[in-house]
Amino acid sequence: MTKLWKGSYFVQKDIDQIKDILSQQHIELEPYKEKTDQLIQQNGKMIRAEITVLFGRNSLKKQANQTVGIKKLHKAAAAIELLHLATLVHDDVLDNANKRRGLTTLQHFFGNKNTVYLGDQLFTKYFQMVTDVAPSKAFIAYHAAMMEKILAGELMQDTLKFQTDVTLPQYYEAIKGKTATLFSLAAVTGTWVENSDEYFEEKNPNFQAAFNFGYHLGMAFQMIDDLQDINPNSKTDKPKFEDIQNGIYTLPIILALENDHLFKKMISTQNIKSETIYKYFISHPELLQRSQAIAKNFLDQAQADLRKLADNSEITELNKLIDKIQSLLNLTNI
């Protein structure tokens, strides 16, 4: 799952430490412990966690003794991963998903109500870890505010389900909340975790660059995920065309809805077949090309954000990440 970072000893070493911290997080109550332990330890790509560490290492370069700071960074990165996992557990309930990271989803064992509670417990563990590493009250308040935006993005996406008049600005706002905000939070957390200044957000010149990088990378990442859902040849952890069948209309779908009344009528049909959607996009390659161009523009902006920071090994690794995500975009051609 962490193949995005393969070949970088520097980054893999961090991931191993973060995984160790995550493996120590348990929901002790039976019969939930075994299945939640399996999910926590399965890990994902851990992109958000490593963004936290790389921005943190970049900030720590100014400090003489980095040992304590690195340990805090690893814990902060693990907290970001727990927050991400908690949102996924709730998503799986809402979407009635069958699989998560190759495992049967929790609600199939424990039912929807108890699985929501399990997601809430993961949120609680995230907040406990954030409190442990927080350099100031402002840091905690910022996390709470960003979590509110993440949840608002999820709610907005739900309100747009099956709305064939959904617009690009609405789509951007929804994925900004549900995906890009967490990427921004990861970058900002690494930049901030070792600074106790209550007004850090206003005074630090690197703060906005970190926030914008997370936003632009997160937006592109979600768009690429949406494109992979359209392409049956792209390998992902979830069934193809799941979003469309759940009434979640993503970037290429919205572009088609904007200009094709016949497509709008087709997509409104109950139980539309995946093969029908696939054939439509085969015959309209310009929709995927435009979607790819939009995602590429966000990746380019993420690179521009990094150019505002001093060039060093951490920034090099972040640029490598952009390149690897660009390679995923290149694979979304049908």
Side-chain angles (χ1 to χ4, degrees):
M1 282 293 195
T2 54
K3 62 184 179 181
L4 276 173
W5 302 105
K6 189 175 181 182
S8 172
Y9 170 75
F10 174 64
V11 176
Q12 188 60 51
K13 215 164 85 169
D14 286 320
I15 286 177
D16 291 342
Q17 293 296 318
I18 297 164
K19 283 183 177 179
D20 185 60
I21 294 169
L22 288 169
S23 71
Q24 298 170 39
Q25 309 307 309
H26 307 288
I27 294 175
E28 298 291 351
L29 184 65
E30 296 294 355
Y32 310 109
K33 185 177 185 300
E34 179 184 359
K35 296 300 182 185
T36 53
D37 277 358
Q38 288 175 356
L39 183 59
I40 291 170
Q41 293 173 27
Q42 185 71 359
N43 307 122
K45 299 180 182 70
M46 298 186 74
I47 295 173
R48 299 154 190 84
E50 200 53 44
I51 288 172
T52 303
V53 171
L54 288 171
F55 274 95
R57 283 185 175 273
N58 185 51
S59 296
L60 281 170
K61 281 185 176 293
K62 300 173 184 177
Q63 298 187 16
N65 185 1
Q66 298 183 16
T67 304
V68 174
I70 293 297
K71 288 182 178 179
K72 286 181 68 176
L73 276 175
H74 288 158
K75 193 166 188 177
I80 292 292
E81 282 297 312
L82 278 182
L83 171 57
H84 178 49
L85 183 58
T87 64
L88 295 180
V89 169
H90 282 177
D91 279 353
D92 290 342
V93 172
L94 293 172
D95 299 338
N96 195 29
N98 293 314
K99 293 287 185 180
R100 172 61 63 188
R101 296 176 177 175
L103 301 174
T104 301
T105 49
L106 295 179
Q107 73 267 20
H108 284 79
F109 299 105
F110 308 122
N112 288 348
K113 182 177 75 172
N114 287 345
T115 301
V116 169
Y117 287 142
L118 291 172
D120 291 345
Q121 284 207 300
L122 292 174
F123 278 126
T124 302
K125 288 185 176 295
Y126 146 72
F127 265 120
Q128 288 172 339
M129 295 175 76
V130 165
T131 302
D132 286 344
V133 301
S136 64
K137 287 175 63 177
F139 180 87
I140 298 173
Y142 187 83
H143 269 257
M146 294 291 272
M147 183 174 167
E148 184 178 15
K149 291 180 180 180
I150 292 168
L151 298 177
E154 295 286 357
L155 285 171
M156 183 174 185
Q157 177 177 270
D158 198 61
T159 63
L160 296 173
K161 280 186 175 181
F162 297 104
Q163 300 295 320
T164 55
D165 58 350
V166 60
T167 64
L168 272 181
Q170 288 175 317
Y171 167 74
Y172 287 160
E173 190 64 24
I175 69 169
K176 174 185 175 182
K178 65 168 283 190
T179 302
T181 295
L182 184 50
F183 274 70
S184 287
L185 183 60
V188 166
T189 294
T191 305
W192 193 347
V193 74
E194 273 298 292
N195 193 305
S196 60
D197 190 339
E198 288 283 343
Y199 301 99
F200 176 82
E201 178 184 352
E202 300 170 17
K203 294 163 68 173
N204 189 283
N206 292 337
F207 180 97
Q208 199 61 50
F211 180 92
N212 288 340
F213 169 84
Y215 166 71
H216 290 129
L217 189 68
M219 293 290 283
F221 189 81
Q222 183 60 58
M223 290 173 185
I224 293 169
D225 188 65
D226 294 344
L227 282 162
Q228 289 178 324
D229 185 52
I230 295 293
N231 188 345
N233 299 319
S234 295
K235 295 181 180 180
T236 62
D237 293 333
K238 64 180 183 179
K240 294 298 174 184
F241 305 105
E242 185 177 58
D243 283 341
I244 301 168
Q245 290 162 354
N246 288 331
I248 299 172
Y249 299 148
T250 55
L251 180 59
I253 300 295
I254 293 169
L255 294 180
L257 288 169
E258 283 183 339
N259 301 298
D260 192 332
H261 293 295
L262 290 177
F263 180 79
K264 183 176 287 191
K265 185 176 180 180
M266 181 179 74
I267 207 77
S268 301
T269 305
Q270 289 188 344
N271 301 318
I272 185 171
K273 293 182 179 179
S274 300
E275 183 181 356
T276 302
I277 301 169
Y278 178 60
K279 286 182 177 179
Y280 179 85
F281 282 99
I282 284 285
S283 62
H284 294 80
E286 73 280 359
L287 295 172
L288 293 182
Q289 291 165 4
R290 186 179 167 197
S291 299
Q292 290 168 329
I294 293 171
K296 176 64 165 61
N297 182 57
F298 277 98
L299 287 177
D300 290 344
Q301 290 182 73
Q303 279 189 317
D305 296 324
L306 291 182
R307 287 196 290 271
K308 297 175 183 177
L309 302 170
D311 191 20
N312 54 40
S313 55
E314 288 78 22
I315 303 305
T316 298
E317 292 296 333
L318 288 165
N319 273 305
K320 286 181 183 178
L321 173 59
I322 294 175
D323 291 341
K324 290 173 182 177
I325 292 178
Q326 170 71 55
S327 72
L328 296 179
L329 177 61
N330 296 340
L331 294 174
T332 59
N333 293 308
I334 291 181

